Structures are given as structure tokens and as C-alpha cells.
Amino acid sequence: MTLWAIVPVKPLRRGKSRLSKILSEEERYQLNHHLFIHTIEVLKKVEAISDILVVSRDSDVLTESRDLGVRTVTENGAPELNNALRRASLFSMALSTEGVLIVPADLPLLTAEDVRGFLSARTPAPTAVISPDRRREGTNMLLIDPADLITFSFGQASFDKHCALVKEKGADLIVYENERIALDLDIPEDYAILKADAALPV
């Protein structure tokens, strides 16, 4: 199958605002940039991914993505992740992708082997593979095939919402458990765990 990875990236100076009590604006910028580059570098090593598409409203992110040989879509209108992902997914479908892999740019421990393992769990379409966060509340990685199988529902309790949407469509649902995928970076507690593992630059 033709598979595109879609990476949503918030403006680097605005992302990770919930870490503002422990990190300065410049430190958060450096952290967000590191996570963005790390995500792209990991995905470029995965042979099963046909293309990588970054969706962002940050012009510097879009420019750097193109310099890295990655496709881009500019996020327009009010900031809203699900709308941005829908736009990116439609763009990929227009260029003949069959499935899409949504990879948030805040998984510091993610490796190419993790992504390969995740993709190996998929079944013939219609299908979805989902990895939850460590609290089993959020969705830390999502593959859907076809690319318009469900409406994206990232946000509060997105793991349960995505699972329910897939079941409503009668598609195969595979929940893929992986400790590194599960550990995203949202709150100071996450930062403390990752810092202890020397997984962060700041």
C-alpha cells in the first residue's frame, strides 16, 4: 500500500506551553525544534513510508521541512489540530495515498524500529492501528487505511473516541502497545521522566 506519514507541528515558540513553569520560552523553542527534527529523521528511515507531510502554520517549520525533502501543507484558519489533519489527509489522497499514519512531533523516545513494529500490526483495509499514551487517554500514533476511514478526533479522550469511530465503520482495530510510543511530552511529569533517561536536549 501507499502510505503517507503526516506530522502536525505547532509553532515552535508556542508549543509545550504546559511546560512554561519549568522551561523558558527559548528552552521550549529548542525542545520543540529538537522533537520536530527527531520525528522527521526517524520517519525517513522507515522504508514502508512513501512520503512525509508536515502540516504547520509556522513558516520556519515549513521551510526547514522542505529543506529536509519533506512535503508541506500550510495550516490556515483558526488553530485546530483535527481540521489541519483533515486538510493534510485530503492533500495526500489527492496524490493517491491509500493510508495515512499520524505521528505527533512529541515522542522523544521514538525509533524507526518502533514505527516498523507499529506498521507490521496492520491488516488489509479497512483497518486502523492505534497506540495510546501511557495514561491510555490520548492517541500517540494512528494509522488508518483508507485515509478517510474516520474523522480525526484528537484531543481529550481521543484514544477511546478513535477506537469507537473505527468500530462504527466495521473496520479492523488493532491496539498496538509500545512503551516508547506511549511516552509523549505534555506535562512536567513527562519531562521529569524523559530528563531522567537523558532523552531530552534541555
Side-chain angles (χ1 to χ4, degrees):
M1 66 175 285
T2 305
L3 177 68
W4 281 38
I6 298 177
V7 182
V9 182
K10 291 182 179 179
L12 297 182
R13 293 201 175 276
R14 298 182 187 177
K16 301 303 166 198
S17 59
R18 283 187 283 181
L19 299 179
S20 60
K21 291 184 178 180
I22 60 172
L23 296 177
S24 67
E25 179 181 329
E26 182 60 27
E27 287 173 328
R28 295 198 308 277
Y29 170 82
Q30 294 295 336
L31 176 61
N32 288 327
H33 185 265
H34 166 79
L35 293 171
F36 156 56
I37 296 298
H38 169 73
T39 304
I40 300 302
E41 289 178 344
V42 165
L43 294 176
K44 291 183 78 170
K45 296 175 183 176
V46 180
E47 302 78 8
I49 294 174
S50 310
D51 259 303
I52 302 169
L53 177 63
V54 167
V55 55
S56 181
R57 61 179 56 247
D58 187 322
S59 59
D60 290 339
V61 166
L62 297 172
T63 297
E64 190 163 5
S65 296
R66 290 189 288 269
D67 289 343
L68 292 169
V70 172
R71 294 180 185 268
T72 61
V73 167
T74 304
E75 181 184 357
N76 294 320
E80 210 287 312
L81 175 58
N82 294 308
N83 286 338
L85 291 174
R86 179 177 179 275
R87 184 159 186 253
S89 183
L90 290 172
F91 177 84
S92 69
M93 290 175 67
L95 294 175
S96 301
T97 192
E98 297 169 23
V100 291
L101 171 67
I102 311 301
V103 185
D106 64 351
L107 305 178
L109 303 181
L110 185 69
T111 68
E113 192 58 37
D114 294 328
V115 180
R116 293 188 190 104
F118 178 94
L119 295 179
S120 72
R122 63 189 173 186
T123 58
T127 187
V129 185
I130 303 177
S131 278
D133 65 13
R134 66 189 181 92
R135 303 172 189 85
R136 295 186 70 81
E137 296 174 356
T139 302
N140 276 11
M141 197 175 291
L142 170 66
L143 178 148
I144 54 173
D145 180 16
D148 59 353
L149 177 66
I150 61 172
T151 301
F152 296 114
S153 191
F154 284 89
Q156 189 173 5
S158 69
F159 175 63
D160 286 341
K161 290 177 182 177
H162 283 138
C163 288
L165 288 167
V166 172
K167 290 176 182 178
E168 286 175 9
K169 292 292 185 178
D172 281 349
L173 171 64
I174 300 95
V175 176
Y176 186 79
E177 304 283 355
N178 178 292
E179 291 182 356
R180 287 182 296 275
I181 296 175
L183 189 49
D184 55 358
L185 179 53
D186 282 326
I187 59 176
E189 180 185 349
D190 301 329
Y191 181 86
I193 293 172
L194 290 160
K195 193 66 176 176
D197 288 340
L200 299 174
V202 295

